[in-house]
């Protein structure tokens, strides 16, 4: 990794890379799972990483931005959320404000999912902004189907006062109530929230008291997943503190309701962009 401009670092005994922007913003990424662990902007941590997260190089890390690929949740025969978040990725390049990591099919992945592929996670850092781009190449001779979610855990200060704007009018699957619904207003976080929305055409805004975060995603990602476990479910999650639900909300750029079908030799890219909104 001598040609990388990102700085190697060890965090919780795991090899990582830290990317610094000239303005002081920074991002920390673990090679295990290509997992973004931290994004600081304006001296403030913007992502939630569970203090109970497991860092053993095999277990999925709770918090940050897990990459759910090629399966979402338990919607298929693979381990929950697929294997990308528990695989060893390789840093393939970086510059002053970007970093790329790659994962290729291997005997281990082929034993679970019989498709040849190459996946790239690109991280772009700008003042007050973080963009995550995910590219899949089908390197095999047959079409392949996959799902993807960039499972972004956002750190919040005031869950009771939190709302997510921009999804009014969008249909969604409510996994708690096990029914289809239509969003009529802002998303309020009371109790467990677990929803798969049809993505809105315009960016969303997460309002956390005086703090606002603009959340955008590419048209290739057809859904937005919104999740907070609430107090009861959070207490049953081994790698979350009992009050962890008060400090996080997941707003995920996803394509999970129907699979992406990728022809042999074809390539697909989707992205999520987070921008800190500075008060006037």
């Amino acid at each position: 990794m001598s040609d990388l401009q990102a700085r190697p670092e060890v965090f919780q005994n795991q090899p990582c890379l830290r990317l610094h922007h000239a303005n002081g913003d920074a991002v920390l990424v673990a090679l295990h799972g290509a997992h973004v662990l931290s994004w600081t902007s304006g001296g403030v941590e913007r992502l939630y990483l569970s203090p109970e997260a497991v860092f053993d190089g095999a277990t999925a890390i709770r918090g940050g931005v897990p990459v759910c690929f090629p399966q979402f949740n338990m919607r298929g025969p693979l381990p929950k959320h697929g294997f990308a978040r528990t695989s060893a990725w390789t840093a393939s390049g970086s510059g002053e404000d970007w970093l790329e990591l790659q994962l290729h099919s291997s005997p281990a992945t082929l034993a679970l999912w019989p498709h040849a592929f190459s996946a790239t996670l690109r991280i772009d850092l700008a003042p007050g902004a973080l963009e995550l781009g995910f590219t899949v190449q089908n390197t095999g001779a047959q079409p392949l189907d996959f799902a993807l979610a960039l499972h972004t855990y956002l750190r919040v200060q005031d869950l009771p006062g939190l709302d997510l704007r921009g999804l009014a009018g969008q249909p969604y699957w409510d996994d708690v109530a096990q029914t289809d619904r239509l969003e009529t207003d802002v998303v309020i976080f009371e109790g467990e929230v677990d929803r798969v929305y049809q993505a809105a055409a315009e960016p969303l805004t997460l309002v956390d008291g005086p703090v606002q975060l603009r959340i955008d995603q590419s048209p290739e990602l057809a859904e937005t997943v919104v999740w907070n476990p609430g107090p009861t479910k959070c207490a049953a999650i081994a790698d979350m503190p009992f009050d962890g639900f008060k400090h996080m909300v997941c707003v995920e750029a996803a394509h999970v309701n129907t699979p992406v079908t990728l022809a042999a030799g074809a390539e697909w890219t989707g992205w999520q962009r987070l921008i800190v909104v500075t008060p006037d």
Side-chain angles (χ1 to χ4, degrees):
M1 294 190 295
S2 59
D3 59 336
L4 297 176
Q5 294 193 37
R7 187 181 72 198
E9 185 173 317
V10 175
F11 178 80
Q12 297 285 2
N13 296 318
Q14 291 299 308
C16 298
L17 291 168
R18 186 177 295 276
L19 188 65
H20 280 280
H21 193 276
N23 79 323
D25 289 3
V27 63
L28 179 67
V29 188
L31 297 184
H32 176 62
H35 198 120
V36 178
L37 301 174
S38 170
W39 168 43
T40 54
S41 179
V44 177
E45 178 59 62
R46 306 292 175 172
L47 300 179
Y48 174 82
L49 183 64
S50 171
E52 306 297 332
V54 177
F55 292 90
D56 60 6
T59 305
I61 300 167
R62 175 73 65 180
V65 188
V67 176
C68 303
F69 170 86
Q71 178 180 296
F72 177 70
N73 208 329
M74 299 299 291
R75 298 184 180 188
L78 298 178
K80 185 176 182 180
H81 288 321
F83 51 74
R85 65 180 185 155
T86 55
S87 295
W89 290 59
T90 303
S92 57
S94 73
E96 291 184 358
D97 54 7
W98 65 273
L99 169 63
E100 287 188 349
L101 299 98
Q102 291 189 330
L103 176 68
H104 303 284
S105 50
S106 66
T109 69
L110 291 169
L112 293 171
W113 192 57
H115 299 288
F117 73 93
S118 176
T120 302
L121 181 71
R122 181 180 171 101
I123 300 158
D124 284 282
L125 191 61
L130 176 69
E131 182 173 312
L132 304 177
F134 190 84
T135 298
V136 185
Q137 292 179 311
N138 182 350
T139 58
Q142 301 296 326
L144 62 80
D145 292 341
F146 69 89
L148 171 70
L150 299 173
H151 197 318
T152 306
Y153 285 71
L154 300 170
R155 176 174 290 276
V156 301
Q157 303 299 318
D158 182 26
L159 186 67
L162 188 76
D163 64 58
L164 180 62
R165 302 175 182 177
L167 287 167
Q170 298 302 110
Y172 67 92
W173 169 254
D174 188 328
D175 201 56
V176 177
Q178 290 288 296
T179 188
D180 289 304
R181 290 182 169 169
L182 187 72
E183 187 59 70
T184 58
D185 203 347
V186 299
V187 182
I188 303 296
F189 295 92
E190 296 177 345
E192 183 183 357
V193 175
D194 192 352
R195 303 172 183 175
V196 180
Y197 286 87
Q198 178 179 308
E202 299 298 324
L204 310 180
T205 302
L206 187 69
V207 180
D208 181 19
V211 179
Q212 294 189 17
L213 189 71
R214 173 175 161 167
I215 306 168
D216 200 3
Q217 65 191 67
S218 65
E220 292 81 7
L221 292 162
E223 286 88 43
T224 300
V225 181
V226 179
W227 180 65
N228 180 283
T232 302
K233 187 165 187 176
C234 187
I237 299 175
D239 54 359
M240 282 276 281
F242 75 94
D243 63 346
F245 74 97
K246 296 179 180 179
H247 307 294
M248 54 70 61
V249 65
C250 289
V251 182
E252 311 168 34
H255 195 111
V256 298
N257 282 343
T258 58
V260 176
T261 298
L262 197 60
E267 181 178 290
W268 177 96
T269 298
W271 52 260
Q272 183 184 56
R273 184 182 301 126
L274 309 173
I275 300 175
V276 178
V277 179
T278 304
D280 294 333

